[in-house]
Amino acid sequence: GLCIAQSLKIPQDRKDKTIDFDKIIKQLLETPNARAIVIFANDEDIKQILAAAKRADQVGHFLWVGSDTWGSKVSPLLQQEDVAEGAITILPKRATIEESKPK
């Protein structure tokens, strides 16, 4: 029962961040049954997409699944806590592998 409704990219060369992120939220809303958003992005882009969802009055509409960028940091969520509430974040397990020495 999993369907990927849309695959959107955050533009790297953008002049007006607000317009671009508002446009992304508008595009996501064009698929009314799509509610889960998987986002792997940097701090600033996460903050911008959450702010755009808030401007579009979509607090609580989307279920966010994100990377460790916002699971391990506070900065992307400042003043966007209500939009991000209930988000699931993924932090990969990391381990140091020691260099093996020849015998």
Side-chain angles (χ1 to χ4, degrees):
L2 179 65
C3 172
I4 297 174
Q6 294 186 46
S7 177
L8 304 175
K9 291 184 180 182
I10 297 171
Q12 295 302 311
D13 299 325
R14 50 189 180 261
K15 293 177 180 147
D16 188 334
K17 292 180 182 180
T18 302
I19 291 173
D20 288 336
F21 285 97
D22 289 346
K23 182 179 175 183
I24 290 170
I25 293 296
K26 186 177 179 182
Q27 287 176 298
L28 292 170
L29 291 168
E30 289 173 358
T31 309
N33 292 335
R35 302 281 307 279
I37 308 299
V38 179
I39 181 168
F40 290 84
N42 64 41
D43 296 19
E44 183 60 27
D45 289 346
I46 290 167
K47 188 172 189 134
Q48 291 289 333
I49 199 75
L50 294 175
K54 192 177 222 176
R55 284 191 299 275
D57 197 27
Q58 297 302 315
V59 174
H61 178 77
F62 295 118
L63 306 170
W64 303 97
V65 178
S67 65
D68 57 328
T69 300
W70 59 338
S72 61
K73 299 177 185 176
V74 176
S75 60
L77 305 179
L78 290 175
Q79 301 176 343
Q80 313 301 337
E81 296 90 348
D82 53 344
V83 184
E85 187 174 350
I88 297 170
T89 60
I90 300 166
L91 178 61
K93 184 176 180 178
R94 299 177 185 166
T96 303
I97 300 173
E98 293 185 29
E99 185 179 338
S100 61
K101 297 177 183 177
K103 294 181 182 183

